[in-house]
Amino acid sequence: MGKFTDDPPRIVAKRDVGILQLEDAIRLFLEKRYLSAITLAGAADAIFCGLIEAAGGKAPSEATWAQVENIRSLGIPLAGTITKKEAFKHWNETRNRLKHHDNGKDSYLLEIFEIDEAYQWIDRARHSARLLDIEPANMLDFDSCVIPWFFL
């Protein structure tokens, strides 16, 4: 029994939550509701990355950082002196700025290239989903929108 209803709890696989979030992010993108698309795609990506790591794999961001470190070990100063923590903070900055407000540090205004960020977060979640053999049902709709827009 729930707090507000007599309904039983819903049991849902985390994988399915990620799929729903990514599909909703795509739907919101297509509706030009980019800020919400960023947040949902980021949540989906976090779930997918957690599932990848739980299965013994390496999340895409971790794999990317491992490549940076490998290239640095060859004496090539890839990405300058940025640390892993700084890189991850930068990679997640827009999503985090949309989710949180840090009194004393954050402005009351955000400057965001919302279409670019929404595209990148959906693409990032899509990549993580593919590592789990997941393809959102509305991915073709997304591709049909963005391929001509961004690439032709």
Side-chain angles (χ1 to χ4, degrees), residues 24-38:
D24 284 349
I26 291 167
R27 182 179 46 77
L28 290 167
F29 183 95
L30 296 173
E31 293 172 2
K32 300 179 177 12
R33 296 184 60 205
Y34 304 113
L35 298 178
S36 295
I38 294 165

Side-chain angles (χ1 to χ4, degrees), residues 57-149:
K58 202 174 253 192
S61 55
E62 292 288 345
T64 298
W65 188 255
Q67 291 173 339
V68 169
E69 288 182 331
N70 184 47
I71 292 169
R72 284 179 172 179
S73 74
L74 301 173
I76 301 167
L78 183 64
T81 59
I82 192 169
T83 65
K84 179 180 178 178
K85 182 177 179 179
E86 291 167 335
F88 278 63
K89 182 178 178 184
H90 176 72
W91 293 340
N92 298 322
E93 181 178 18
T94 297
R95 180 199 63 191
N96 291 341
R97 288 175 59 215
L98 290 172
K99 289 175 29 180
H100 308 288
H101 181 78
D102 190 355
N103 282 329
K105 289 185 180 179
D106 288 345
S107 168
Y108 287 93
L109 301 174
L110 297 172
E111 184 176 328
I112 293 177
F113 293 99
E114 60 183 340
I115 295 170
D116 299 13
E117 290 284 347
Y119 168 79
Q120 290 174 347
W121 274 100
I122 290 170
D123 193 55
R124 184 171 163 175
R126 171 193 219 177
H127 178 68
S128 298
R130 283 185 170 162
L131 294 176
L132 297 166
D133 295 321
I134 295 170
E135 185 72 17
N138 56 354
M139 201 73 216
L140 184 58
D141 296 331
F142 180 73
D143 287 341
S144 295
C145 173
V146 300
I147 288 174
W149 198 6

